[in-house]
Amino acid sequence: DAGVIQSPRHEVTEMGQEVTLRCKPISGHDYLFWYRQTMMRGLELLIYFNNNVPIDDSGMPEDRFSAKMPNASFSTLKIQPSEPRDSAVYFCASSRPLLSLGYPSGANVLTFGAGSRLTVL
Amino acid sequence: DAKTTQPPSMDCAEGRAANLPCNHSTISGNEYVYWYRQIHSQGPQYIIHGLKNNETNEMASLIITEDRKSSTLILPHATLRDTAVYYCIVRGRSGGYQKVTFGTGTKLQVIP
């Protein structure tokens, strides 16, 4: 199991450019989350999907941000146009339910990727 | 989900037990307590979770008070690699709702 895979690990771009961040969740996980982390605001939930369907995008800061999950093994977070205040580390996470004695326990664990560090100049 | 309160920072001597408290006085009966940690520049990592019984795994122990209004994460023999931000999260049993939000956590500094 390679874990949650994110790309690129680092991205430096100029203001106004389009940025696309990619995520491959762990196979079999049916929830996918996008988080953003900055020093000022900490770890913020942007959007999450269940079975490829967006469930809650209330954390998406504005219309410049969009996320898609075309299939169970791939998701993108796009920023267009990018601005310097979008500079942050973006994390993708996927979730699996935990079993207890072979039955769903009701608990879930998030596994995070290594993150994509975005710098917008 | 119930709100949690954690001290912003703590120090612990290497080799000693690190005891990280979390207050979740508004927790409801069907909510789990989860702990994650984030080592500098890495993604958060799951540590342990519990409902009402104390739990132990290879990483840590979780002690939940009888009234479930607070809990303590115990790292029995802290090492320098345990220096990280530790997040306590309370959320309900899985169903249709999976939103997981992180607070500010406790920054644990393990001192040589």
Side-chain angles (χ1 to χ4, degrees):
Chain A
D1 185 355
V4 176
I5 300 173
Q6 293 188 244
S7 64
R9 290 295 313 278
H10 301 274
E11 174 91 4
V12 180
T13 191
E14 293 187 348
M15 182 173 63
Q17 296 298 305
E18 178 178 292
V19 173
T20 300
L21 307 178
R22 299 173 177 81
C23 175
K24 177 179 169 55
I26 293 174
S27 178
H29 286 196
D30 55 356
Y31 282 85
L32 183 139
F33 304 78
W34 282 100
Y35 286 85
R36 176 174 70 175
Q37 186 170 38
T38 60
M39 288 292 292
M40 291 296 293
R41 301 174 69 91
L43 200 58
E44 303 174 277
L45 177 64
L46 300 177
I47 185 172
Y48 75 95
F49 296 81
N50 176 221
N51 292 323
N52 313 337
V53 176
I55 303 300
D56 186 340
D57 65 354
S58 59
M60 296 285 264
E62 47 197 276
D63 292 345
R64 297 184 297 105
F65 285 70
S66 63
K68 294 182 180 180
M69 192 165 185
N71 57 62
S73 59
F74 184 65
S75 177
T76 60
L77 178 67
K78 187 173 292 186
I79 309 172
Q80 167 63 21
S82 60
E83 297 182 2
R85 59 188 168 130
D86 302 330
S87 298
V89 181
Y90 291 80
F91 289 104
C92 175
S94 64
S95 172
R96 65 179 172 88
L98 295 181
L99 300 180
S100 175
L101 300 178
Y103 295 91
S105 69
N108 287 268
V109 170
L110 270 66
T111 302
F112 282 79
S116 294
R117 180 175 295 275
L118 173 65
T119 302
V120 183
L121 303 174
Chain B
D1 294 338
K3 181 179 173 60
T4 61
T5 304
Q6 298 178 254
S9 64
M10 292 181 63
D11 290 339
C12 177
E14 187 178 17
R16 297 294 187 106
N19 296 279
L20 292 95
C22 179
N23 183 287
H24 32 80
S25 58
T26 59
I27 192 171
S28 62
N30 68 347
E31 291 183 312
Y32 281 93
V33 179
Y34 295 82
W35 284 83
Y36 288 77
R37 74 179 180 183
Q38 186 174 24
I39 296 171
H40 180 62
S41 78
Q42 299 180 19
Q45 174 192 26
Y46 164 79
I47 301 172
I48 198 168
H49 76 283
L51 186 62
K52 53 184 177 182
N53 297 322
N54 297 338
E55 302 288 345
T56 296
N57 63 20
E58 66 279 3
M59 292 182 68
S61 294
L62 174 60
I63 307 298
I64 303 174
T65 58
E66 192 169 344
D67 63 7
R68 302 204 330 117
K69 294 185 176 182
S70 66
S71 61
T72 301
L73 178 75
I74 300 173
L75 308 178
H77 304 286
T79 70
L80 298 179
R81 288 176 296 179
D82 292 323
T83 293
V85 177
Y86 287 78
Y87 298 97
C88 169
I89 297 163
V90 173
R91 61 180 307 278
R93 299 170 75 92
S94 67
Y97 195 58
Q98 277 283 326
K99 188 169 182 176
V100 180
T101 54
F102 289 74
T104 54
T106 296
K107 185 172 185 178
L108 176 68
Q109 181 71 48
V110 179
I111 302 168

